[in-house]
Amino acid sequence: MQGQLGLEGIPGKLVRVTPARLSTWQQCPRKYRMTYLDRPTPPRAGARANATLGAVVHNALKAYFDLRVDQRSPERASALVREHWKSDGFSGPEQAAEYRARAQEWVGGYVAELPEGEAPLAVERWVSAPVGSIIAEGRVDRIDERHGELVVVDYKTGRYGLQVGDARDSLALGLYALAVGKQFHRTCRRVELHHLPTGTVASWEHTEESLAELRVRAEQLAAEFQSATDELELGGDPQALFPVRTGKHCSWCDFRAHCAEGEQAAPDLPSWSALEA
Ligand code: SF4
């Protein structure tokens, strides 16, 4: 935490904010507490196939861009999926092999469509920069440089294609754009979701105003979870400060085994259930 003067001249705190913290808080404050505050952290549920698939694709693309330009090809990208493959969370070898083949096809097809001669400015780069009353930070999948400006690229491997609104309204992408712009001292307004399974891109060009709106939203959420955290440290009631927010998401919560309300709210689904509709 770093000190700064708040708006009224009262010393405040710069709260460290990652997209994961924001989305976890928004989804369920109790889950936030178990993820970030309870120590030791309660044992988590096992790996989920959709998360494994996403991690493999991200790792393969990172390895691809780590190669010299003359070593890159769709065939190499596809082979990198195989080299980075993990089967954690899949129903068995057959399903894992089916998805490995799909992922190889996605990644090979994706790099084949990349503009020739264009190299990313950074891949899997941790960014961290003070923005308003928070420190916006996180690992950006890719930062491209186009027409003198920086572009935030986020890979997606979920079941459904993405719309422009998904890029426009994404607090995570907005936070990354703010941090990237600040850290690199460059203009960064374009944010893109690259959906590997369909090879489509959902893209949005922010304005200073729209980024400011997302920053204010992030600041509000950060103030909420920091206030609850501070009160907890002073001996506040964890159940009241971090209430449950149940819903369908409880089926996939890492901590449902430690949460009676969540177990009642949604069925326990197999670890590969999020792969298919
Ligand atoms: S199971 Fe549901 S209610 Fe319980 S902590 Fe997880 S998300 Fe929150």
Side-chain angles (χ1 to χ4, degrees):
M1 235 43 96
Q2 293 177 15
Q4 69 159 71
L5 282 182
L7 284 179
E8 294 80 34
I10 301 165
K13 289 189 276 192
L14 284 184
V15 181
R16 291 188 179 279
V17 175
T18 61
R21 273 186 187 260
L22 290 179
S23 67
T24 305
W25 174 257
Q26 283 178 297
Q27 192 178 61
C28 174
R30 178 183 284 178
K31 182 178 176 185
Y32 179 93
R33 195 196 82 215
M34 290 200 267
T35 305
Y36 296 107
L37 303 176
D38 288 359
R39 295 296 178 266
T41 307
R44 295 168 187 263
R48 297 209 164 259
N50 55 312
T52 302
L53 182 63
V56 168
V57 167
H58 280 72
N59 290 338
L61 284 168
K62 176 176 187 319
Y64 177 79
F65 286 113
D66 284 344
L67 294 171
R68 287 201 326 259
V69 174
D70 63 340
Q71 295 174 324
R72 296 179 194 165
S73 68
E75 294 72 28
R76 188 74 193 99
S78 177
L80 285 167
V81 171
R82 181 175 281 274
E83 288 168 29
H84 286 82
W85 185 255
K86 287 194 171 75
S87 301
D88 303 342
F90 288 91
S91 63
E94 205 173 300
Q95 190 189 49
E98 181 195 329
Y99 275 88
R100 187 183 63 202
R102 284 194 202 188
Q104 287 188 262
E105 201 176 310
W106 298 343
V107 172
Y110 175 75
V111 305
E113 295 298 320
L114 289 174
E116 211 168 307
E118 203 172 273
L121 182 76
V123 175
E124 298 286 337
R125 170 67 65 90
W126 181 264
V127 293
S128 179
V131 175
S133 65
I134 59 177
I135 297 176
E137 57 187 21
R139 192 171 301 284
V140 183
D141 289 346
R142 203 170 88 208
I143 303 168
D144 285 357
E145 185 173 25
R146 289 186 228 145
H147 314 298
E149 297 194 1
L150 301 187
V151 179
V152 168
V153 172
D154 199 42
Y155 305 129
K156 294 291 176 195
T157 57
R159 282 176 292 180
Y160 305 111
L162 297 151
Q163 309 297 321
V164 167
D166 295 312
R168 180 192 63 210
D169 301 335
S170 166
L171 206 45
L173 292 180
L175 214 56
Y176 285 147
L178 287 164
V180 167
K182 204 79 184 278
Q183 186 162 317
F184 287 83
H185 306 289
R186 300 277 299 276
T187 301
C188 181
R189 295 202 183 132
R190 179 165 287 277
V191 294
E192 295 183 347
L193 294 168
H194 291 203
H195 187 244
L196 275 288
T198 55
T200 55
V201 174
S203 180
W204 184 252
E205 180 92 16
H206 276 294
T207 60
E208 275 188 34
E209 292 72 30
S210 64
L211 280 177
E213 281 172 24
L214 291 176
R215 172 180 54 76
V216 168
R217 180 79 185 119
E219 286 176 324
Q220 287 168 342
L221 292 166
E224 285 173 21
F225 67 62
Q226 192 56 45
S227 164
T229 302
D230 291 344
E231 284 191 49
L232 184 71
E233 281 176 10
L234 293 172
D237 175 13
Q239 310 304 335
L241 292 168
F242 297 87
V244 289
R245 194 170 291 149
T246 56
K248 281 185 190 165
H249 54 268
C250 295
S251 285
W252 292 281
C253 176
D254 275 347
F255 301 108
R256 61 175 278 122
H258 314 285
C259 177
E261 294 91 331
E263 284 192 309
Q264 274 184 359
D268 190 14
L269 297 175
S271 58
W272 57 90
S273 58
L275 289 173
E276 300 287 358

